[in-house]
């Protein structure tokens, strides 16, 4: 999540391997963001091959530090694990284009006709050299009857 002040906190990998998500584990309850909080999504290119299942102790930090990353800096953040250290073996693409190298757009999104579903399509290669199909990972965020966000 991106806090009201622009810092990234509460970083989680929702799916360790997007090529092998069991049918019963494809839905994740995202809860309801607090007022002013934003959700940010990211993809680690070939992340499972690079790291396997990552521990649930991740953070995005200012490069070379342990300082929580602020999206207003306009620089790419560094992914860090409390137990594994800096995770720089694979490119990471963010839904916030300003966090990508060269401010590259790696995501296209749109809503369903009823407005209760947001589809987010990721390109898992740099858009300067990839196929730009934006279907390598597609995330659907649905709002339930009681306004809870579900992935």
């Amino acid at each position: 999540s991106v806090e009201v002040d622009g810092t990234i906190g509460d970083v989680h990998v929702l799916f360790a391997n997007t090529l092998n998500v069991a049918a019963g584990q494809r839905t994740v309850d995202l809860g309801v963001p607090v007022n002013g909080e934003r959700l940010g999504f990211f993809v680690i290119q070939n992340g499972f091959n690079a790291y396997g299942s990552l521990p649930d102790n991740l953070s995005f930090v200012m490069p070379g530090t342990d300082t929580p990353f602020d999206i207003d800096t306009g620089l790419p953040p560094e992914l860090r694990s409390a137990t594994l250290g800096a995770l720089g073996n694979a490119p990471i693409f963010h839904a916030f284009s300003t966090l990508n190298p060269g401010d590259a757009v790696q995501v296209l999104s749109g809503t369903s006709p009823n407005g209760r579903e947001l589809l987010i399509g990721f390109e898992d290669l740099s858009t300067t050299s990839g196929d730009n199909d934006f279907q390598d990972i597609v995330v659907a965020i649905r709002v339930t009857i009681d306004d809870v966000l579900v992935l």
Side-chain angles (χ1 to χ4, degrees):
S1 66
V2 178
E3 307 299 328
V4 175
D5 67 359
T7 57
I8 297 177
D10 202 22
V11 177
H12 300 281
V13 172
L14 299 176
F15 304 104
N17 184 354
T18 59
L19 296 177
N20 192 21
V21 179
Q25 297 176 346
R26 294 181 184 167
T27 300
V28 176
D29 183 348
L30 299 176
V32 178
V34 298
N35 192 23
E37 182 181 48
R38 295 173 278 173
L39 297 177
F41 294 92
F42 64 95
V43 170
I44 303 171
Q45 183 186 64
N46 292 318
F48 190 76
N49 291 337
Y51 305 114
S53 291
L54 287 169
D56 192 22
N57 62 8
L58 303 176
S59 59
F60 280 109
V61 296
M62 297 299 292
T65 74
D66 288 331
T67 304
F69 188 80
D70 187 326
I71 66 168
D72 297 324
T73 64
L75 301 170
E78 177 180 284
L79 182 61
R80 177 172 294 281
S81 160
T83 53
L84 302 174
L87 302 173
N89 293 341
I92 299 173
F93 299 117
H94 299 269
F96 294 107
S97 63
T98 58
L99 305 183
N100 296 322
D103 293 344
V105 174
Q106 293 293 140
V107 169
L108 293 179
S109 63
T111 60
S112 65
N114 67 5
R116 296 190 67 82
E117 181 178 57
L118 172 67
L119 296 172
I120 303 170
F122 276 88
E123 174 56 48
D124 70 348
L125 298 170
S126 171
T127 54
T128 59
S129 60
D131 58 11
N132 292 312
D133 61 3
F134 295 91
Q135 65 178 10
D136 299 301
I137 297 171
V138 177
V139 175
I141 300 174
R142 295 178 186 94
V143 179
T144 62
I145 296 285
D146 50 356
D147 292 332
V148 174
L149 301 175
V150 177
L151 180 67

